[in-house]
Amino acid sequence: MDVSEEMEAEMGKQAYKQIMQEYGRHIVPNYHPAAVSVQKVAKRIIAVSGLKNVDWEVYLIDSPEKNAFVIPGGKIFVFSGILPVVQDDDGLAAVLGHEIAHQIARHSAEKLSQMKILIFGQLVLSIIFDAGYFARILMDVGLAKPFSRLTETEADYIGLKLMAQACYNPEAAVQMWKRMKLLEQESHQNPYLSTHPSHDSRIEQITEWLPEAQRLRDASDCRQTVQLFDLFNRSAFSGQSRF
């Protein structure tokens, strides 16, 4: 990875400005019960993430989209449309654990680094095949999409362990993805042409990881840990959903 943390931070600042321009008017106030729930779950997972020098901020966006994402610098955005899918704190922990995992693994920096490789690769393929369009398709299917699926799978794995360490039920991740599968219409898209793993492969993989996640949860002394988290969560936010 040849992207410095400084470059990554600057990329995050620019992305933050664009996101606020688009969604700023739809940010749910941090005193709203739904926003409070999102912040509470995020705090518990952040507390076990090991990332202590990140200026975390969590925003709930009033939008029907069933999505959430994180940008460099620890800015997490959750769309309200996903709340009926997650159903409870455990399901929400599956989503937030996944997003926080992206920050831990610096996947945004990986993608930026990959873009440099793609630009060079497209140039080489265009010279070889003398067909720019074919080169773009070949690069997209052969490198860009699989790379994205790998980072998503890695985030699923790290996120599952995080939610377990934070004393959430890791089995909720499987149930959440099953609900997502039922809600989304069949796209008839080949899974190899998707930037995310298919729901079936995701459910199967997470199910295989459950024993390990459950062992982590059992080792976390959750009764005492949850009490400490509750004390931590009573601290007031300074600014908009900021940790």
Side-chain angles (χ1 to χ4, degrees), residues 110-161:
E110 281 192 45
K111 290 178 182 179
L112 184 61
S113 179
Q114 180 203 20
M115 286 173 61
K116 296 179 180 180
I117 300 172
L118 285 174
I119 292 171
F120 175 77
Q122 273 196 3
L123 178 61
V124 172
L125 286 173
S126 295
I127 294 172
I128 295 174
F129 295 105
D130 194 27
Y133 177 76
F134 175 73
R136 286 192 296 273
I137 293 297
L138 189 60
M139 288 296 294
D140 187 46
V141 175
L143 180 57
K145 293 291 177 69
F147 182 91
S148 183
R149 288 198 304 275
L150 287 174
T151 59
E152 291 299 325
T153 299
E154 184 180 21
D156 282 343
Y157 177 64
I158 296 172
L160 188 71
K161 295 201 296 183

Side-chain angles (χ1 to χ4, degrees), residues 47-67:
V48 301
S49 70
L51 296 180
K52 300 183 181 300
N53 298 319
V54 177
D55 186 20
W56 294 99
E57 296 178 27
V58 179
Y59 296 89
L60 179 63
I61 299 173
D62 184 14
S63 170
E65 294 178 57
K66 299 175 181 64
N67 198 14

